[in-house]
Amino acid sequence: MIKLAIIGGGDLGKVIAHLISELSEYKLVGFFDDYANAEQLVNVQGFEFPILGKTDDVSAQFEKGNFDQLLIGIGYHHFAVRQMMFERWKGKIPFANLIHPSAIVDKSFRMGEGNVVLAGCVLDKNVVIENNVLLNIGVTIAHDGHIDDHSFLGPSCVLAGFVNVGKRCFLGVGSVVIDNIKILDDVQLGGGALVIDDISRRGLYVGSPVRFLKS
Amino acid sequence: MIKLAIIGGGDLGKVIAHLISELSEYKLVGFFDDYANAEQLVNVQGFEFPILGKTDDVSAQFEKGNFDQLLIGIGYHHFAVRQMMFERWKGKIPFANLIHPSAIVDKSFRMGEGNVVLAGCVLDKNVVIENNVLLNIGVTIAHDGHIDDHSFLGPSCVLAGFVNVGKRCFLGVGSVVIDNIKILDDVQLGGGALVIDDISRRGLYVGSPVRFLKS
Amino acid sequence: MIKLAIIGGGDLGKVIAHLISELSEYKLVGFFDDYANAEQLVNVQGFEFPILGKTDDVSAQFEKGNFDQLLIGIGYHHFAVRQMMFERWKGKIPFANLIHPSAIVDKSFRMGEGNVVLAGCVLDKNVVIENNVLLNIGVTIAHDGHIDDHSFLGPSCVLAGFVNVGKRCFLGVGSVVIDNIKILDDVQLGGGALVIDDISRRGLYVGSPVRFLKS
């Protein structure tokens, strides 16, 4: 059984912890969190997990064999920290890839590491997600979609074929992106957004079809 | 095998009857319907089921052991009757909970009684539906969603995290609700509606994002 | 094992070829393509399949027993050719029906021939698709939906109950159609389109709700 630790014991960390409880090959040993102390316990659906330490303790605990793989539990409100934490240990400590058993994943799907795919996602032919990406429940990505590092896709987003999403993007619940669209880095889409043209400027976009709202 | 009876032999009653035919632990014995007579048969996908009587006959037939559990087959055009029928027997006769085998339901999901969950729904962590609720095909509810009594969610509605839906609400096909929204009782959403603010006044809302249309 | 041949070795042909690789009862023997020559090979996810000939060679190869069933791999940019090819062999050579194993298909579902249903679709009670129809990933069709010949539904389209879609229609990604709607032949819907009224004039429609854009 692979022992996992999560960076961050907040809401996202708990979502990941709950997913781990569905996966028989993994076992959660605890959380690292700079805003908690070692006596605290993190309650996940009635089960308690220890705070293993601060993020400065991660490497030492890994070397002691206290865990085997990491995941980043820092969400889309803190993309810079999310990225920084991932890069701090990338290449030094393995990151897990967690896929809910109900997800429908084509055999041609490829991904880097540190990714989380929640229940009911559908990932078609040649979809690629890079690293440290989270797909919330019911996300549908058609053939040849590509999602770059650290991005978050909200529940039931749907991307048609040949869509590229950049780094640190956030796609709100129920967003729709037509085929052959490129969305560059640091773009946020509001809930129910419809994207019918490339987006090449960072910022927040809302509407159907979307308009730029603010950076 | 649990013997079920349905109040109402119309379209919704037949949808529930068809779902029962997918569930090996249940058997439909017939319908109660105030607008049908005892000689009539209700045709469900080529199979015929008897009218067991009027709603005034429900309690006597239950006491005779003719059925074990009830379901309400009265739809969203008649919310008052739907509620009244449920409350008439609540606590006196058990109501069934029917979930299509293809639905993806987190182990933390909780519900009251008399609920129907159709094919392809995805219900995430800590979702709660109260009583006498119907989720049509493909409904997706993210973590900590809460649906109150008697409400109807149309096909492929999607609710982000921490969404509360009140009593006797109707959400049209493909509605999208962003996270942390509260929708009060007696709200109807048109098809494809997008909700980005709380709704605290009863009535019909349409658009993306929604505007109040009429009460 | 049923031997299949595909008319057209382009993008859609490859999508179908990839689906065949998921289905143990079928084996792809190759493509017919008027724009390729017999020495060419078609690469599908790293596997190479031969060009069996031009479309004028289809009947002779079928009579020799080189394949058992046909599929049309000509997409929605060429509806007239798509239809013509289907009708050329209809009644003379059997067409296959391919359904991805992850699709949730009610037992009452019925279809003609030459249809392709991709991953994650949900097809409810009494849905009918006629012939030579393609449902992309995640399409949801509620009870009593009807899709006529040659039409294409994009990823995660959702149709409420009693929706009729005509021949040679294209519904863009994430389209939503409310219940009891009739869409006549040769209608195209843009991505994220919302249809709340019948459409009786051919052409392209976009928006939420849709407006006529051009014929």
Side-chain angles (χ1 to χ4, degrees):
Chain A
M1 198 131 79
I2 298 166
K3 289 177 287 182
L4 297 180
I6 298 172
I7 309 285
D11 282 346
L12 181 60
K14 290 176 181 181
V15 165
I16 296 172
H18 186 66
L19 174 56
I20 292 168
S21 75
E22 299 282 349
L23 302 170
S24 57
E25 68 269 44
Y26 293 104
K27 174 187 159 68
L28 176 65
V29 295
F31 296 85
F32 293 94
D33 195 314
D34 287 338
Y35 301 95
N37 60 55
E39 288 76 45
Q40 265 184 277
L41 293 169
V42 178
N43 188 305
V44 178
Q45 303 293 117
F47 297 90
E48 294 193 316
F49 295 91
I51 295 291
L52 303 169
K54 310 283 186 198
T55 55
D56 283 346
D57 304 319
V58 167
S59 297
Q61 295 241 5
F62 176 69
E63 279 153 31
K64 281 189 208 162
N66 289 355
F67 69 92
D68 304 311
Q69 298 183 6
L70 266 182
L71 280 156
I72 304 294
I74 296 160
Y76 61 87
H77 292 299
H78 306 282
F79 270 127
V81 181
R82 177 173 173 77
Q83 172 170 356
M84 188 263 285
M85 291 293 172
F86 180 78
E87 292 178 346
R88 184 168 172 188
W89 293 289
K90 183 165 163 50
K92 303 186 187 105
I93 297 178
F95 285 86
N97 279 314
L98 303 184
I99 299 184
H100 192 278
S102 67
I104 301 167
V105 178
D106 191 82
K107 62 192 172 195
S108 62
F109 172 69
R110 287 174 295 129
M111 59 182 162
E113 56 178 344
N115 299 294
V116 174
V117 176
L118 294 185
C121 290
V122 182
L123 307 178
D124 202 5
K125 188 160 75 88
N126 293 339
V127 168
V128 175
I129 63 178
E130 293 292 348
N131 303 288
N132 198 25
V133 165
L134 187 134
L135 306 185
N136 212 318
I137 57 169
V139 166
T140 300
I141 306 181
H143 62 89
D144 301 285
H146 182 272
I147 314 292
D148 212 340
D149 294 350
H150 320 301
S151 288
F152 261 68
L153 274 62
S156 291
C157 286
V158 49
L159 279 52
F162 296 111
V163 168
N164 269 268
V165 174
K167 296 185 206 292
R168 298 170 303 277
C169 289
F170 172 77
L171 278 58
V173 55
S175 304
V176 174
V177 184
I178 70 166
D179 58 292
N180 287 287
I181 289 291
K182 194 181 284 286
I183 295 173
L184 291 194
D185 300 345
D186 301 299
V187 167
Q188 297 95 45
L189 300 182
L194 170 65
V195 180
I196 60 172
D197 290 302
D198 288 353
I199 298 182
S200 52
R201 177 185 174 191
R202 64 169 57 196
L204 173 60
Y205 295 76
V206 300
S208 177
V210 292
R211 62 183 195 282
F212 176 77
L213 191 67
K214 62 178 180 185
S215 49
Chain B
M1 198 131 79
I2 298 167
K3 289 177 288 182
L4 298 180
I6 298 172
I7 309 285
D11 281 346
L12 180 60
K14 290 176 182 181
V15 165
I16 296 172
H18 186 66
L19 174 56
I20 292 168
S21 75
E22 299 283 350
L23 302 170
S24 56
E25 67 269 44
Y26 293 104
K27 174 187 160 68
L28 177 65
V29 295
F31 297 84
F32 293 95
D33 196 313
D34 288 339
Y35 302 95
N37 59 56
E39 288 76 47
Q40 265 184 278
L41 293 170
V42 178
N43 188 306
V44 178
Q45 303 294 116
F47 296 91
E48 294 193 316
F49 295 91
I51 295 290
L52 303 169
K54 310 285 186 196
T55 55
D56 283 346
D57 304 319
V58 167
S59 298
Q61 296 241 6
F62 176 69
E63 279 153 31
K64 282 190 208 162
N66 290 355
F67 69 92
D68 304 312
Q69 298 183 5
L70 266 182
L71 281 156
I72 304 294
I74 295 161
Y76 60 88
H77 293 300
H78 306 283
F79 270 127
V81 181
R82 177 173 173 77
Q83 172 170 356
M84 188 263 285
M85 291 292 173
F86 180 78
E87 292 178 346
R88 184 168 171 187
W89 293 289
K90 183 166 163 50
K92 303 186 188 104
I93 297 178
F95 285 86
N97 279 313
L98 303 184
I99 299 183
H100 192 278
S102 67
I104 302 168
V105 177
D106 190 82
K107 62 193 172 195
S108 62
F109 172 69
R110 288 173 295 129
M111 60 183 162
E113 55 178 343
N115 300 293
V116 174
V117 176
L118 295 185
C121 290
V122 183
L123 306 178
D124 201 4
K125 187 160 75 85
N126 293 339
V127 168
V128 175
I129 63 178
E130 294 293 348
N131 303 288
N132 198 25
V133 165
L134 187 135
L135 306 184
N136 212 318
I137 57 170
V139 166
T140 299
I141 305 181
H143 61 89
D144 301 285
H146 182 271
I147 314 292
D148 212 341
D149 294 349
H150 320 301
S151 289
F152 261 68
L153 275 62
S156 291
C157 286
V158 49
L159 278 52
F162 296 110
V163 168
N164 269 267
V165 174
K167 296 186 206 292
R168 298 170 303 276
C169 289
F170 172 77
L171 279 57
V173 54
S175 302
V176 174
V177 183
I178 71 165
D179 58 292
N180 287 287
I181 290 291
K182 195 180 283 288
I183 296 174
L184 291 194
D185 300 345
D186 301 300
V187 167
Q188 296 95 45
L189 300 181
L194 170 64
V195 180
I196 60 172
D197 290 303
D198 287 354
I199 299 181
S200 52
R201 176 185 175 189
R202 64 169 58 197
L204 172 61
Y205 295 76
V206 300
S208 175
V210 291
R211 63 183 194 282
F212 175 78
L213 191 68
K214 62 177 180 186
S215 49
Chain C
M1 199 129 81
I2 298 166
K3 289 178 287 181
L4 297 180
I6 298 172
I7 309 286
D11 282 346
L12 181 60
K14 291 177 181 180
V15 164
I16 296 172
H18 186 66
L19 174 56
I20 292 168
S21 75
E22 299 282 350
L23 302 170
S24 57
E25 67 269 43
Y26 293 104
K27 174 186 159 67
L28 177 64
V29 295
F31 296 85
F32 293 94
D33 197 313
D34 288 338
Y35 301 94
N37 60 55
E39 288 76 45
Q40 266 185 277
L41 293 170
V42 178
N43 188 306
V44 177
Q45 304 294 116
F47 296 90
E48 293 193 316
F49 295 90
I51 296 291
L52 304 169
K54 310 285 186 196
T55 54
D56 283 346
D57 304 319
V58 167
S59 297
Q61 295 240 5
F62 176 69
E63 280 153 31
K64 281 189 208 161
N66 289 354
F67 69 92
D68 304 311
Q69 297 183 4
L70 265 183
L71 280 156
I72 304 294
I74 296 160
Y76 60 88
H77 293 300
H78 306 282
F79 270 126
V81 181
R82 177 173 173 77
Q83 173 171 356
M84 188 263 285
M85 290 294 173
F86 181 77
E87 292 178 347
R88 185 169 171 187
W89 293 289
K90 183 166 163 49
K92 303 186 187 105
I93 298 178
F95 285 86
N97 280 313
L98 304 184
I99 298 183
H100 192 277
S102 67
I104 301 168
V105 178
D106 190 81
K107 62 193 171 195
S108 62
F109 172 69
R110 286 174 296 129
M111 60 183 162
E113 56 178 344
N115 299 293
V116 174
V117 176
L118 294 185
C121 290
V122 182
L123 306 178
D124 202 5
K125 187 161 74 87
N126 293 339
V127 169
V128 175
I129 61 178
E130 294 292 348
N131 303 288
N132 199 24
V133 165
L134 186 135
L135 306 185
N136 212 318
I137 56 169
V139 166
T140 299
I141 305 181
H143 62 89
D144 301 286
H146 182 272
I147 315 292
D148 213 340
D149 294 350
H150 320 301
S151 288
F152 260 68
L153 275 62
S156 290
C157 286
V158 49
L159 277 52
F162 296 111
V163 168
N164 269 266
V165 174
K167 297 185 206 292
R168 297 170 304 275
C169 289
F170 172 77
L171 278 57
V173 54
S175 303
V176 174
V177 183
I178 71 165
D179 58 293
N180 287 287
I181 290 292
K182 194 181 283 288
I183 296 174
L184 291 194
D185 300 345
D186 302 298
V187 167
Q188 296 96 45
L189 301 182
L194 170 64
V195 180
I196 60 173
D197 290 303
D198 288 353
I199 299 182
S200 51
R201 177 185 175 190
R202 63 170 58 198
L204 172 61
Y205 295 76
V206 300
S208 176
V210 292
R211 64 183 193 281
F212 176 78
L213 192 67
K214 62 178 181 185
S215 49

